[in-house]
Amino acid sequence: MSERQTIDARGSFCPGPLMELIARIKQAEVGDELEVLSTDEGSANDIPEWVKKVGHEMVESFQNGDVWHVVVRKSK
Amino acid sequence: MERICILVTSSAREKLQMAGMLASVGAVSGSDVLVFLSMNALAPFLKDGADAITDEGPFGQLLLDKKAPPFLQLFEQAVELGDAKVHPCSMAMDVMGVGRDDLLPFLGAPLGLTKFLSEAQGAQTWSF
């Protein structure tokens, strides 16, 4: 059954949040969603770019206060 | 597959950081990444190489103060998560008198400049 995991990368700088996502996405099952919490605006922009390039799926991306939430679904 | 070759010769934290960022993000984005460490860039990759790292300017200290991902971690992630290859320069190893056992374990076999040039032909090539 698909699940959503949270990756708390707040306080980490580029490319820390992206690398944390990649480490976790390798262990996840296809269909799982991973929500990255980041205070690094660059990573909030870069993660969707990476997702598009490697063929996963962006679910949503939004800002709540100083924290960006980027939700990705593992597609392959 | 797109290939990225990265030549690193500096021990400056800022340059090592940028090279590590390029290697890790490039590798996990599907590029075939090859890193060649030579000259002053080899010492920071020794097992006891922390003292060899220099700061080029104030940004290097900021990287430490702000706890940015350490460059060694970025290179290691490039290898582990993206299958990048990080090679020490065989000439630099000879000059420094170090063997493979002195180097961090994620480094590949020593590489010569001729082989690096062959690999870099037609690839994006960056130097730091």
Side-chain angles (χ1 to χ4, degrees), chain A:
Chain A
M1 182 176 171
S2 299
E3 57 181 58
R4 178 176 286 194
Q5 305 173 30
T6 301
I7 300 167
D8 189 350
R10 289 175 292 181
S12 181
F13 291 89
C14 174
L18 172 64
M19 301 309 290
E20 288 189 43
L21 168 66
I22 293 164
R24 290 280 291 274
I25 212 166
K26 280 183 172 267
Q27 321 241 335
E29 303 289 334
V30 171
D32 285 354
E33 292 181 358
L34 297 99
E35 179 173 14
V36 182
L37 310 184
S38 176
T39 47
D40 176 56
E41 186 173 3
S43 293
N45 291 325
D46 279 352
I47 290 172
E49 185 68 26
W50 176 81
V51 168
K52 181 178 162 188
K53 186 160 188 177
V54 301
H56 293 301
E57 182 184 345
M58 274 299 301
V59 177
E60 59 180 337
S61 178
F62 60 93
Q63 185 179 358
N64 186 0
D66 294 335
V67 180
W68 280 265
H69 297 244
V70 185
V71 184
V72 178
R73 183 178 295 119
K74 179 168 177 167
S75 303
K76 60 180 185 179

Side-chain angles (χ1 to χ4, degrees), chain B residues 10-17 40 44 52-57 71:
Chain B
S10 171
S11 61
R13 190 184 312 277
E14 296 89 334
K15 289 181 176 171
L16 291 164
Q17 186 80 11
N40 294 316
I53 303 163
T54 57
D55 284 338
E56 187 173 49
F71 68 84

Side-chain angles (χ1 to χ4, degrees), chain B residues 25-106:
Chain B
V25 175
V28 299
S29 297
S31 294
D32 185 6
V33 173
L34 173 70
V35 181
F36 186 58
L37 304 171
S38 189
M39 306 297 178
N40 294 316
L42 187 58
F45 292 83
L46 294 172
K47 287 174 181 169
D48 59 355
D51 291 343
I53 303 163
T54 57
D55 284 338
E56 187 173 49
F59 204 93
Q61 187 59 46
L62 279 173
L63 288 168
L64 279 179
D65 294 344
K66 300 281 187 178
K67 296 184 170 50
F71 68 84
L72 286 174
Q73 179 181 310
L74 295 174
F75 281 107
E76 195 163 10
Q77 287 175 327
V79 172
E80 290 182 356
L81 300 177
D83 297 326
K85 304 287 186 290
V86 182
H87 293 279
C89 167
S90 52
M91 177 279 288
M93 290 179 67
D94 288 344
V95 169
M96 293 175 69
V98 298
R100 288 191 68 178
D101 289 345
D102 299 313
L103 296 166
L104 294 172
F106 68 86

